[in-house]
């Protein structure tokens, strides 16, 4: 269904709008983990997360006339910011439906990137109804943060770049939230790697993907009580089949393992990453024997942390 | 007195022991500053700071027989850690005299890197007497963190790498503490740049270098009440003449300007840096007109922050 050429086209299409992010390598963290780790740093991506890739591809794949009418999503996280900045870069409006309860810092970030915010009561029903209304009023196209083929293919371009730089990676590990990143990465690893596996990392506290792979159908999160606030979202029918076919395994991690991995990344690697990003390293540290002496890619998903409360 | 060939030899000498650190470039920070900034990230250096360079060169320049007896310093900061790790890498002992009042986290770091700690009362006299005693007992050589020609030349290698990658830089800005980094950078800019100036950045609260350049003789700090805890140290007679000859200017910055620059680096660039490191960007932001549209190198001096108190 998908092909290497298709993924290459996606990459070429979004390249003018994204950063080719650096890959970091830390001998200290290699020592701690017993593996050879290559961190693809999407925290250095525009607006601070890989979501910029998928949002850009999804907008660029809309027919020109439809594109001009703008895009709409309901999200309080990185995708809202990514869609706002991608739309601004391409020169079209982005309508963002946000729950009124969303932190002011997230509303400000969306505004900074040029997104047009509609606030609504904090229920999924209200969010969906507001998005629907905006679509009818403006003709804007709805884009989903993770369950959209063009978004998935866009997210996969981080792994394409990682494999272009390090073609011998034996496995790539990514966090699993809505499933867009892990699905896109798995396609990229399949088409651009040499027998490179993809493994997902997920908090026990939001393990819908793990249980979905076990049962063979999309399961819902029973809890979402995790520090990885980008990982509370659900798999969807577009990314689940790709995950079933191309992802080798989902490793679940405890909250204290995420925090320990987060500390290692901040302290040893000196980079600012979101808690969600740390799940991938946490999975490698939890199952050391599985990864021992392997060449392992890790997608650092983003770096948008509200530092104001912590540091200043 | 110094030459390009000498600096090249220093660089070749230490290369097996150090990381060639990446240079980061942020369109967001360029927008904020109105300049084209190139950040040489010594926070990614081994043990987290540029001091690794000078410590390594100073040890390697000791005669072999003397080298084997080890090295000694009194420091509670990054140089203690750098000397410990450099000595360990080269295979000799490092004796570190630390005031008993030094934070446990710093003592632990020195121990991790293999340094042999002697604790003493927290006065300069006690520190010097203890270092003296260790030298007599072990035959170890004393190395000063900043006022040592081999240390200065080692610190300059960060700017050599920066200029090799970006030969057209018009100015390089570094923080000024004891003066080793700014002096070494100025030599590198002189020999490896194309008319590349060096500017130092110093807190008003620890402005010995600024006042020394004004008066033409080494002045002492009147206050050291700055968040830039690596910048409280004094210029010395080895680095001051180099600074007089090769540094164009010292720009002083207020504490709130350092904090604002620190916030920009963490939030926008997603890297963990020490407050001291932020003085260089603070200087660029304070004197925007001076730097407008110029290609400016910035040495990010280090990233050793005690995150335990902040994050975890």
């Amino acid at each position: 269904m998908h092909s290497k050429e298709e993924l290459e086209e996606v990459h070429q299409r979004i390249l003018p709008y994204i950063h080719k992010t650096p890959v970091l390598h830390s001998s200290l963290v290699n020592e701690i983990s017993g593996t050879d780790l290559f961190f693809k740093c999407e925290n250095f991506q525009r607006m601070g997360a890989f979501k910029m890739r998928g949002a850009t591809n999804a907008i660029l794949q809309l027919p020109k006339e439809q594109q001009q009418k703008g895009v709409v999503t309901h999200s309080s996280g990185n995708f809202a910011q990514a869609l706002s900045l991608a739309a601004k870069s391409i020169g079209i409006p982005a309508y963002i439906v946000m729950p009124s309860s969303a932190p002011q810092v997230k509303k400000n970030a969306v505004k900074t990137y040029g997104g047009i915010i509609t606030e609504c009561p904090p229920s999924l029903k209200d969010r969906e109804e507001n998005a629907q209304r905006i679509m009818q009023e403006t003709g804007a196209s709805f884009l989903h943060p993770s369950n959209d083929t063009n978004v998935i293919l866009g997210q996969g371009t981080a792994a394409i770049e990682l494999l272009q730089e390090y073609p011998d990676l034996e496995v790539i590990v990514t966090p699993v939230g809505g499933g867009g990143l892990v699905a896109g990465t798995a396609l990229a690893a399949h088409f651009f790697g040499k027998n490179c596996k993809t493994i997902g990392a997920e908090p026990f506290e939001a393990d819908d993907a793990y249980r979905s792979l076990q049962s063979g159908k999309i399961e819902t999160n029973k809890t979402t009580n995790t520090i990885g606030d980008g990982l509370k979202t659900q798999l969807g029918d577009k990314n689940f089949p790709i995950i079933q076919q191309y992802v080798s395994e989902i490793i679940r991690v405890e909250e204290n393992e995420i925090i320990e991995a987060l500390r290692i990344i901040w302290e040893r690697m000196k980079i600012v990453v979101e808690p969600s990003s740390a799940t991938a390293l946490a999975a490698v540290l939890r199952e050391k024997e599985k990864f021992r002496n392997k060449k392992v890619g890790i997608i650092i998903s983003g770096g948008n942390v509200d530092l104001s409360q912590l540091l200043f």
Side-chain angles (χ1 to χ4, degrees), chain A:
Chain A
M1 172 185 172
H2 297 291
S3 69
K4 186 169 182 176
E5 292 64 36
E6 182 186 18
L7 268 77
E8 267 165 356
E9 279 170 24
V10 170
H11 194 213
Q12 290 307 314
R13 181 178 305 125
I14 68 172
L15 264 181
Y17 300 95
I18 62 160
H19 287 328
K20 263 198 160 176
T21 52
V23 177
L24 292 183
H25 194 226
S26 161
S27 43
L28 270 172
V29 183
N30 284 349
E31 232 172 79
I32 292 168
S33 64
T35 55
D36 201 10
L37 297 169
F38 298 85
F39 293 86
K40 176 68 172 171
C41 288
E42 290 294 298
N43 55 326
F44 296 149
Q45 186 51 266
R46 291 184 73 199
M47 64 60 62
F50 73 93
K51 302 247 171 187
M52 190 64 198
R53 297 175 180 268
T56 302
N57 188 49
I59 295 175
L60 291 173
Q61 285 292 66
L62 292 171
K64 264 280 176 286
E65 198 181 321
Q66 203 177 328
Q67 202 183 86
Q68 290 307 315
K69 293 178 180 159
V71 287
V72 58
T73 198
H74 53 78
S75 157
S76 56
N78 279 329
F79 190 72
Q81 297 178 38
L83 198 67
S84 301
L85 182 57
K88 186 182 170 190
S89 303
I90 293 163
I92 62 161
Y95 304 97
I96 311 294
V97 179
M98 290 183 100
S100 48
S101 57
Q104 191 59 42
V105 60
K106 297 210 170 185
K107 294 178 192 167
N108 291 345
V110 166
K111 275 184 207 158
T112 304
Y113 292 128
I116 301 158
I117 296 176
T118 301
E119 291 194 26
C120 74
S123 82
L124 184 60
K125 181 163 167 287
D126 282 298
R127 287 161 61 165
E128 286 177 348
E129 281 176 5
N130 272 276
Q132 198 64 43
R133 185 181 47 74
I134 292 170
M135 287 168 70
Q136 283 164 359
E137 288 174 9
T138 63
S141 306
F142 182 78
L143 290 178
H144 190 279
S146 54
N147 197 38
D148 175 306
T149 304
N150 292 317
V151 169
I152 293 167
L153 294 174
Q155 317 303 32
T157 58
I160 294 177
E161 292 171 15
L162 177 57
L163 284 162
Q164 281 171 344
E165 206 168 331
Y166 296 97
D168 294 330
L169 294 180
E170 296 166 75
V171 52
I172 300 179
V173 188
T174 85
V176 181
L181 178 62
V182 75
T185 300
L187 286 173
H190 176 72
F191 289 117
F192 291 81
K194 301 174 186 162
N195 262 319
C196 177
K197 290 196 293 187
T198 299
I199 291 180
E202 196 173 39
F204 273 96
E205 288 291 334
D207 66 348
D208 59 320
Y210 176 86
R211 287 184 292 103
S212 301
L213 273 191
Q214 298 291 315
S215 72
K217 62 184 176 53
I218 297 176
E219 305 284 347
T220 57
N221 280 317
K222 288 173 180 161
T223 57
T224 57
N225 186 23
T226 174
I227 189 181
D229 52 1
L231 307 182
K232 297 177 177 183
T233 41
Q234 291 284 150
L235 288 197
D237 60 347
K238 297 284 196 301
N239 51 51
F240 183 52
I242 300 174
I243 292 170
Q244 279 186 303
Q245 187 172 355
Y246 295 108
V247 172
S248 305
E249 170 181 13
I250 307 273
I251 295 173
R252 292 178 298 174
V253 292
E254 304 282 359
E255 292 301 299
N256 62 351
E257 294 172 323
I258 300 174
I259 291 169
E260 178 56 21
L262 188 63
R263 179 203 285 270
I264 289 171
I265 295 171
W266 283 60
E267 282 194 352
R268 306 303 175 101
M269 298 184 62
K270 314 291 182 193
I271 57 176
V272 173
V273 305
E274 299 167 3
S276 304
S277 296
T279 51
L281 177 61
V284 171
L285 295 177
R286 182 182 172 92
E287 305 220 1
K288 278 192 176 179
E289 284 316 313
K290 183 167 285 169
F291 296 98
R292 190 170 296 284
N293 296 327
K294 289 216 163 72
K295 292 186 88 168
V296 180
I298 290 203
I299 311 280
I300 293 286
S301 49
N304 289 334
V305 183
D306 185 3
L307 293 170
S308 309
Q309 291 174 10
L310 297 169
L311 280 180
F312 303 105

